[in-house]
Amino acid sequence: TDHGPPKTAKRSLNIDAAYLHVLGDLLQNLGVILAGAVIWAKPTWQVADPLVTLFFAGIVVKTTFGFVGQTVNILLEGAPANVDVTGLRTALRDVDGVGDVHDIHVWELTADKPVMSCHVLLKEGALLDEVLMRCQDVCADGFEIDHATIQVQSGRCRARTCCAEPTQGRPREDSLC
């Protein structure tokens, strides 16, 4: 059976930061050696040392901001940039047996490992286990979400979050409320 496209290897933010740190140390050492050679050859060019230091300080600051941004997004449980939440909602609604999808949340607890929770309302006659399995396949195969918590409801949803968009607070017209 076809299980969709092969999954890409997921990267660890910690490993990437450690790799960048080691690479930065190597390049900084080469810069210090180069500056030392310049100063040794031309003793009047003492400015080479602080210039190399400022250059590598700028590189460290620039590369650090990327990691800080990713880390803050994870700590605040922000939506990962590589997951199209609107596309995910549409794909789940297109699953055979699904009447509606709402209260969908996607976030990351660690780098490149998105998690998701949502409510799925079944169409009449749909089998819960089959719909749940298809929805989990959509999450894993199409959006690389391996941990999906899907609350399947066979009748009308009575919770306040089921019948309202998060920003408007009034019943949705396309909902099965």
Side-chain angles (χ1 to χ4, degrees):
T1 61
D2 182 24
H3 293 287
K7 292 193 177 192
T8 58
K10 294 187 179 185
R11 300 181 60 136
S12 166
L13 191 60
N14 293 337
I15 297 297
D16 287 349
Y19 172 76
L20 187 63
H21 180 81
V22 170
L23 183 62
D25 283 350
L26 172 69
L27 292 176
Q28 288 174 22
N29 286 331
L30 292 175
V32 167
I33 291 169
L34 180 64
V38 167
I39 293 170
W40 181 72
K42 301 267 188 186
T44 58
W45 289 12
Q46 296 287 322
V47 74
D49 184 42
L51 287 177
V52 167
T53 300
L54 288 173
F55 175 74
F56 283 107
I59 290 174
V60 167
V61 168
K62 185 178 185 320
T63 57
T64 300
F65 275 121
F67 284 105
V68 169
Q70 286 178 302
T71 303
V72 167
N73 191 54
I74 290 168
L75 290 174
L76 295 176
E77 294 184 6
N82 62 334
V83 176
D84 175 15
V85 178
T86 303
L88 174 60
R89 176 178 288 144
T90 300
L92 288 171
R93 282 183 177 158
D94 290 344
V95 168
D96 188 35
V98 171
D100 189 30
V101 177
H102 54 272
D103 205 20
I104 187 167
H105 303 279
V106 181
W107 68 98
E108 283 182 306
L109 293 177
T110 61
D112 293 326
K113 295 189 181 179
V115 294
M116 188 265 310
S117 70
C118 71
H119 292 186
V120 170
L121 291 173
L122 295 178
K123 287 182 180 175
E124 192 160 329
L127 298 175
L128 182 140
D129 289 338
E130 288 180 17
V131 171
L132 180 59
M133 201 175 332
R134 284 189 222 117
C135 288
Q136 288 170 334
D137 287 344
V138 164
C139 293
D141 296 339
F143 297 89
E144 295 191 12
I145 298 173
D146 295 321
H147 184 86
T149 303
I150 302 170
Q151 180 176 335
V152 181
Q153 299 156 323
S154 58
R156 294 181 183 268
C157 178
R158 304 259 189 260
R160 287 182 298 158
T161 57
C162 293
C163 299
E165 288 294 330
T167 56
Q168 294 150 343
R170 60 182 184 269
R172 289 185 14 193
E173 310 224 351
D174 64 339
S175 180
L176 298 175
C177 298

